[in-house]
Amino acid sequence: MLTLLKLLKDGRFHSGQALGAALGISRSAVWKQLQHLEADLGLSVHKVRGRGYQLAKPLLLLDSTEICAKGLHEWPVHIFDSIDSTNAEALRFIERGGAAPFLVLAERQVAGRGRRGRKWVSPFAENLYHSLVLRIDGGMRQLEGLSLVVGLAVMHVLRDMGVAGAGLKWPNDVLVGKKKIAGILLELVGDPADVCHVVLGVGINVNMQSTDEVDQQWTSMCLEAGRNFDRNELVARLGARLQQYLELHHASGFAAIQPEWEQYHLWQGRAVSLIAGVNKIDGIVLGVDHQGALRLKVDGVEKNFSGGELSLRLRDDS
Ligand code: ATP
């Protein structure tokens, strides 16, 4: 089916006969595959008698040669047409003894994940699903504030490419105003005090223009900038920004990045509720500390909070 898609991706008309000949199948088998393309991948195909078949819009697929040509040489890149989740594949690769660093990308995720088992909506060929794996050798310090660092790198790429309003929400979201444009999910295997691997999962909404599946306000690079983006270029630029910030973090720790992170924190000074399971703590956002923990003023007293189970919400009266 994906071979057929690669023949159609130019957005031009192709006759059923030519497609069948290229694939070595009958015209009716081509027709069946086209129906699968529409049903499984959510793509729309125009069928015009006498001219053949045409994708409703051309597709620019992920391509490791293109990514390399655009400047990313640091990490081996593994690209999948369809996968459960790029983080899950990265974890399996580590278990099989794969050497880090490496990068896993996919055209779509059928079980893309957010924090605490929540779903990350991941349609085919529209967005970026990106998991970078690093080996961390001895030192919790190298993990401190890491998801915030990744968020900062993602935010800068979005701004570099024309999404001027991109900003951060503690701990790991990138928003434009109140709308989510990217999410980050870090997963760890091994012993953080000794040798471990960390999977830096990043989902960025790139060319997605509509979906009924996301149950909160969202946006995409395309909706913000009014044009489509080349995801291969985005991968290369994200690689450069990640490298820049990961090097700084490695050399100087999160303390060196904390002031810049706060500068772009959209909820600095805002009245928020911090949700931890069934508990809710109301406070004012003071910023983050040198480990990336949230600093809140609660009943006039500063308190710091960290941990993967915490969620921040703006208070209705803020
Ligand atoms: P928190 O404040 O706890 O981080 P969150 O709702 O941002 O809460 P995440 O785990 O970061 O949670 O992300 C998962 C959530 O993001 C989903 O429950 C859904 O509401 C939303 N979501 C899923 N897919 C997308 C997408 N492609 N773009 C934007 N938002 C999405």
Side-chain angles (χ1 to χ4, degrees):
M1 185 169 83
L2 288 166
T3 321
L4 172 60
L5 187 60
K6 281 167 192 161
L7 293 171
L8 286 170
K9 75 181 165 87
D10 58 9
R12 300 213 174 112
F13 272 106
H14 296 262
S15 72
Q17 196 173 11
L19 292 170
L23 295 170
I25 58 175
S26 68
R27 281 167 64 176
S28 65
V30 169
W31 168 254
K32 271 194 196 133
Q33 284 202 20
L34 282 166
Q35 285 180 315
H36 282 300
L37 274 186
E38 292 193 294
D40 293 357
L41 302 183
L43 296 170
S44 131
V45 181
H46 297 153
K47 305 159 187 97
V48 177
R49 192 179 283 272
R51 296 192 73 188
Y53 307 105
Q54 178 194 42
L55 279 183
K57 59 176 182 182
L59 278 181
L60 202 55
L61 296 173
L62 294 168
D63 179 335
S64 54
T65 313
E66 275 294 306
I67 292 170
C68 198
K70 303 222 184 267
L72 184 74
H73 308 287
E74 284 77 14
W75 309 299
V77 183
H78 307 278
I79 300 178
F80 294 83
D81 291 325
S82 180
I83 201 142
D84 48 356
S85 101
T86 55
N87 266 29
E89 175 58 26
L91 291 167
R92 287 191 292 267
F93 198 77
I94 298 164
E95 271 167 29
R96 294 197 298 267
F102 63 89
L103 180 59
V104 179
L105 304 173
E107 292 291 3
R108 75 161 173 179
Q109 301 183 113
V110 291
R113 54 201 200 205
R115 298 197 302 157
R116 275 165 282 157
R118 284 185 294 229
K119 179 179 169 185
W120 189 259
V121 174
S122 309
F124 184 83
E126 299 206 330
N127 299 329
L128 190 66
Y129 318 116
H130 176 291
S131 295
L132 173 66
V133 181
L134 304 176
R135 184 178 189 270
I136 308 275
D137 209 337
M140 288 290 283
R141 188 169 158 275
Q142 286 185 56
L143 295 168
E144 280 169 4
L146 193 54
S147 67
L148 283 72
V149 173
V150 175
L152 191 59
V154 170
M155 184 210 75
H156 273 301
V157 176
L158 295 179
R159 285 174 165 249
D160 296 344
M161 293 182 81
V163 183
L168 301 165
K169 176 199 147 192
W170 188 90
N172 57 0
D173 286 342
V174 183
L175 309 179
V176 178
K178 291 181 178 169
K179 298 176 186 169
K180 190 153 158 167
I181 191 166
I184 288 147
L185 178 70
L186 262 60
E187 295 187 85
L188 199 99
V189 269
D191 178 359
D194 186 18
V195 177
C196 67
H197 286 88
V198 62
V199 181
L200 311 176
V202 173
I204 303 179
N205 295 336
V206 185
N207 295 323
M208 184 163 81
Q209 294 196 44
S210 64
T211 173
D212 303 330
E213 287 187 76
V214 180
D215 56 4
Q216 61 172 288
Q217 292 191 69
W218 66 274
T219 187
S220 66
M221 295 174 71
C222 173
L223 289 174
E224 292 302 318
R227 70 176 180 93
N228 277 300
F229 287 87
D230 173 355
R231 292 171 305 141
N232 293 312
E233 182 185 350
L234 176 62
V235 174
R237 284 177 176 247
L238 179 58
R241 278 294 194 180
L242 281 169
Q243 215 183 7
Q244 173 196 346
Y245 278 95
L246 290 171
E247 272 172 21
L248 179 59
H249 183 250
H250 189 260
S252 312
F254 183 70
I257 297 165
Q258 177 249 356
E260 193 194 356
W261 196 93
E262 286 186 343
Q263 184 192 330
Y264 290 106
H265 191 206
L266 294 168
W267 293 6
Q268 232 17 48
R270 301 291 299 269
V272 296
S273 295
L274 185 68
I275 318 286
V278 290
N279 299 317
K280 185 163 88 82
I281 299 153
D282 289 342
I284 306 290
V285 176
L286 297 174
V288 289
D289 71 9
H290 286 179
Q291 282 80 41
L294 180 73
R295 296 168 52 231
L296 273 191
K297 193 164 163 187
V298 182
D299 298 330
V301 178
E302 179 177 332
K303 293 192 176 168
N304 291 15
F305 300 89
S306 61
E309 300 300 301
L310 302 173
S311 294
L312 209 53
R313 300 283 176 265
L314 276 183
R315 277 223 310 269
D316 297 340
D317 54 350
S318 79

